[in-house]
Amino acid sequence: MHPAAKFNVDSAYEYIKKQVALGPRVPNTEPHRKAAEMFLAMLERFGWQVQAQDFEAVAYNKTILRSRNIIATYNPEAKRRILLAAHWDTRPYADMDPDTTRRREPILGANDGGSGVGVLLEVARAIGMQQYDSLKINHIGIDIILFDSEDYGPPEDEQQNAFKPDAWCLGSQYWAKNKHRENYAAYYGILLDMVGAHNARFLLEGHSMEYAPSVVKKVWDTANQLGFGKYFVYQTTSSLIDDHLYINQLAGIPTINIIQYENSFGDFWHTHRDNMDIISKETLYAVGTTLLQVLYNENAAAVEP
Ligand code: AHN
Ligand code: ZN
């Protein structure tokens, strides 16, 4: 395998810490506003073309969410493109917390929100700051989209709230119906969601296998060749409602989800335990290194006759 530029896991970890330090990044709050500005500034500094897609989403309870999808583009002129995504907003309710008195407080979302963004920011840095021609990605284009308003679904501890799929993932639904570039197309997409917990296991998620089985195979094979088989496990799991579903169904881009789900999300999920304590550099390293390697392989394949 062609060696990829190094994924600096300390840097990815710091990018998660910086998000968490702002507090919960819930739409219509100051930490949310600051986080968006921080992402735009960082991605621009890494040499990517950056834009914010601003929109108003209507939440399940009719709250208007002032939302921003953050979009960064590398090699804008390249025809063969790959889409990388994660959601950056955090959940307004710790509705799964064991302490029932704190279930209407927002969560810090170190893993749920923070981890995917942290990995993608470091991928952007590693690619954008690369100065050696032999390691430059120059034959494919990459787009990173940080989706907003993914996690504003109704509280699930209330009996009257039957699970409403389309109440989640408002940013990806908006983007899939209003792409940032006319005729935007990508070969495939990779979504990261909750990719930072200690001993996380990423299984073959149902919708990923339905819409993009060859992409799943490519990513899992690459991870296993790199020695990350402990994390990327060849075992199927349920179909999940997440941003990749709308990219597949509405935008028609075959997109997979790298997500920790095995009968349930981890016990940190939508609780106050979702803080820096559950974040593992080892896990982040496995995901980030795999992602960079997939991109370098794609770049090498694009130059072969
Ligand atoms: C479900 O609750 C099945 N999907 C929501 C996806 C999600 C929430 N990912 C992170 N937080
Ligand atoms: Zn969530």
Side-chain angles (χ1 to χ4, degrees):
M1 276 194 288
H2 187 278
K6 225 182 128 35
F7 181 86
N8 186 329
V9 73
D10 294 322
S11 152
Y13 186 88
E14 283 307 308
Y15 297 157
I16 301 172
K17 249 173 90 171
K18 278 189 181 198
Q19 294 172 73
V20 170
L22 293 171
R25 282 85 65 214
V26 176
N28 302 343
T29 68
E30 190 61 10
H32 180 268
R33 200 188 59 72
K34 284 185 181 155
E37 292 304 323
M38 179 175 81
F39 302 143
L40 290 167
M42 288 174 79
L43 290 161
E44 191 164 301
R45 185 152 50 80
F46 300 154
W48 292 54
Q49 203 181 83
V50 175
Q51 70 193 91
Q53 180 181 54
D54 294 345
F55 62 101
E56 290 188 342
V58 183
Y60 72 94
N61 58 3
K62 306 274 159 57
T63 303
I64 304 290
L65 308 176
R66 294 191 303 278
S67 307
R68 313 189 90 181
N69 290 331
I70 306 294
I71 305 171
T73 298
Y74 188 80
N75 286 344
E77 60 297 328
K79 285 270 165 295
R80 195 181 171 97
R81 313 197 63 78
I82 299 189
L83 171 62
L84 306 176
H87 78 87
W88 71 270
D89 63 306
T90 55
R91 182 138 179 81
Y93 324 110
D95 48 339
M96 302 300 279
D97 203 277
D99 182 349
T100 57
T101 68
R102 297 189 59 202
R103 284 189 177 167
R104 290 300 171 272
E105 296 172 15
I107 66 166
L108 283 173
N111 200 26
D112 192 354
S115 65
V117 172
V119 168
L120 292 186
L121 288 172
E122 172 52 16
V123 164
R125 191 204 60 78
I127 290 170
M129 307 302 259
Q130 188 50 251
Q131 53 201 335
Y132 303 104
D133 278 354
S134 63
L135 290 176
K136 271 214 168 78
I137 291 194
N138 41 11
H139 297 286
I140 60 168
I142 306 170
D143 303 284
I144 291 179
I145 307 188
L146 308 179
F147 289 117
D148 201 355
S149 299
E150 187 272 351
D151 231 347
Y152 214 106
E156 296 188 275
D157 57 336
E158 284 174 11
Q159 203 53 55
Q160 72 267 28
N161 285 318
F163 182 69
K164 272 216 273 346
D166 293 352
W168 304 79
C169 307
L170 303 179
S172 52
Q173 293 189 58
Y174 182 84
W175 178 81
K177 293 170 187 161
N178 306 274
K179 295 202 245 349
H180 62 291
R181 248 164 66 176
E182 229 175 305
N183 303 319
Y184 175 79
Y187 260 53
Y188 60 83
I190 303 176
L191 174 70
L192 307 183
D193 195 3
M194 301 186 274
V195 292
H198 289 280
N199 301 311
R201 278 160 50 96
F202 308 115
L203 273 52
L204 313 169
E205 182 269 339
H207 286 130
S208 307
M209 292 302 283
E210 179 184 342
Y211 290 101
S214 66
V215 181
V216 173
K217 179 172 163 46
K218 192 193 298 253
V219 172
W220 261 247
D221 286 356
T222 304
N224 277 265
Q225 282 159 23
L226 290 167
F228 302 131
K230 168 184 161 210
Y231 299 97
F232 289 80
V233 180
Y234 293 95
Q235 192 179 309
T236 56
T237 190
S238 345
S239 299
L240 303 173
I241 307 294
D242 208 344
D243 293 320
H244 69 313
L245 180 60
Y246 300 96
I247 305 174
N248 277 306
Q249 289 186 341
L250 302 178
I253 300 167
T255 301
I256 68 162
N257 195 3
I258 302 178
I259 186 167
Q260 179 185 346
Y261 186 86
E262 195 166 354
N263 305 313
S264 70
F265 300 106
D267 58 8
F268 60 83
W269 188 62
H270 294 175
T271 76
H272 295 296
R273 286 194 56 224
D274 188 355
N275 57 42
M276 287 311 288
D277 297 348
I278 67 159
I279 300 297
S280 154
K281 287 191 183 178
E282 228 189 288
T283 306
L284 295 171
Y285 183 78
V287 174
T289 303
T290 298
L291 218 47
L292 271 185
Q293 189 64 56
V294 167
L295 295 171
Y296 277 88
N297 291 349
E298 233 33 272
N299 188 60
V303 285
E304 275 160 19

